[in-house]
Amino acid sequence: MGKLEVVLTESEIQKKIDELADRINRDYAGKELLVVGILRGAFIFMADLVRKLEVPVVVDFVAVSSYGDATESSGIVRIIKDMDESVAGRHVLLVEDIIDTGLTLKYLYDYLKARGPASLRVCTLLDKPDRRQVDFQSDYNGFTIPDYFVVGFGLDYKQLYRNLPAVYALPPGGEEETCLQGQGRRNL
Ligand code: 5GP
């Protein structure tokens, strides 16, 4: 049976979220922020991040089609649930768990930009630059990681593992039979 390997511990993640929140608090001082999470993966990261924000915050969510049950992107982005808030004239921060090929964020960024926000920036917990298919950079990124398929802290494999408190790598080919017991560490 394969073991999930820790890539980022709970305390490493929390320290990084503190740093990201400090930067965002400084950059948006005196402004109201509309924080838009991309479901489902961003929900835990966003919940921790917004609790560290000291500016007035309104939250909203969008849901997009994901990889289905595969670990590879289909390259097709579809909005399944649109935002409830209006974007026009607002300072918008789009929050995502991970930027991989860049297709999802590029699509959503262009989509929101066309609705006339006062400003639009992107905050991601993880970045896998080796996998990029379109030119896209996050404004606030937590960690740059190698091309591992990671789970935990909101990220899933077949909708499982989102509740795990840290970020883990799935062992190659071991997706079906993983366990947390005796987990090792995989370095960045
Ligand atoms: P992109 O459009 O940048 O290729 O992919 C963004 C989405 O793909 C993320 O929101 C996430 O749902 C999924 N994704 C990309 N890489 C990983 C990964 O390593 N693990 C998991 N669980 N999802 C990933």
Side-chain angles (χ1 to χ4, degrees):
M1 180 178 281
K3 294 186 181 75
L4 292 178
E5 295 175 297
V6 179
V7 176
L8 297 163
T9 65
E10 279 182 79
S11 62
E12 287 167 339
I13 296 168
Q14 291 307 325
K15 189 164 167 278
K16 188 63 78 174
I17 292 176
D18 286 348
E19 289 168 18
L20 291 172
D22 284 349
R23 286 177 55 201
I24 294 167
N25 281 326
R26 273 199 303 277
D27 291 354
Y28 290 93
K31 294 174 180 149
E32 183 184 284
L33 196 52
L34 174 57
V35 181
V36 181
I38 305 177
L39 295 172
R40 297 175 217 177
F43 81 111
I44 289 182
F45 173 46
M46 177 161 153
D48 282 357
L49 181 72
V50 293
R51 280 181 289 179
K52 299 281 164 58
L53 296 183
E54 289 156 5
V55 296
V57 164
V58 175
V59 298
D60 201 353
F61 295 94
V62 285
V64 293
S65 58
S66 68
Y67 294 1
D69 282 347
T71 55
E72 289 294 319
S73 174
S74 61
I76 299 162
V77 180
R78 266 185 310 120
I79 293 182
I80 296 164
K81 181 222 168 287
D82 206 340
M83 292 175 57
D84 296 317
E85 296 288 325
S86 149
V87 162
R90 318 268 296 264
H91 295 286
V92 179
L93 183 66
L94 197 50
V95 176
E96 174 66 309
D97 51 3
I98 188 165
I99 175 167
D100 185 36
T101 63
L103 290 163
T104 306
L105 275 171
K106 172 92 174 75
Y107 178 85
L108 280 175
Y109 185 93
D110 292 347
Y111 180 76
L112 294 185
K113 193 79 186 171
R115 295 178 173 188
S119 69
L120 178 59
R121 286 187 185 161
V122 173
C123 179
T124 45
L125 178 66
L126 306 169
D127 186 358
K128 292 199 285 195
D130 297 347
R131 303 243 321 152
R132 204 70 95 248
Q133 287 178 24
V134 287
D135 184 25
F136 195 89
Q137 298 297 326
S138 173
D139 299 286
Y140 306 96
N141 180 59
F143 301 92
T144 299
I145 62 168
D147 182 13
Y148 301 152
F149 189 82
V150 289
V151 296
F153 209 76
L155 290 134
D156 76 307
Y157 176 70
K158 294 189 177 177
Q159 298 308 330
L160 289 170
Y161 306 120
R162 292 193 197 275
N163 57 311
L164 299 182
V167 171
Y168 303 84
L170 277 188
E175 291 90 347
E176 304 302 333
E177 296 180 81
T178 50
C179 70
L180 278 171
Q181 270 83 50
Q183 70 216 11
R185 171 94 200 215
R186 194 183 295 189
N187 293 323
L188 288 180

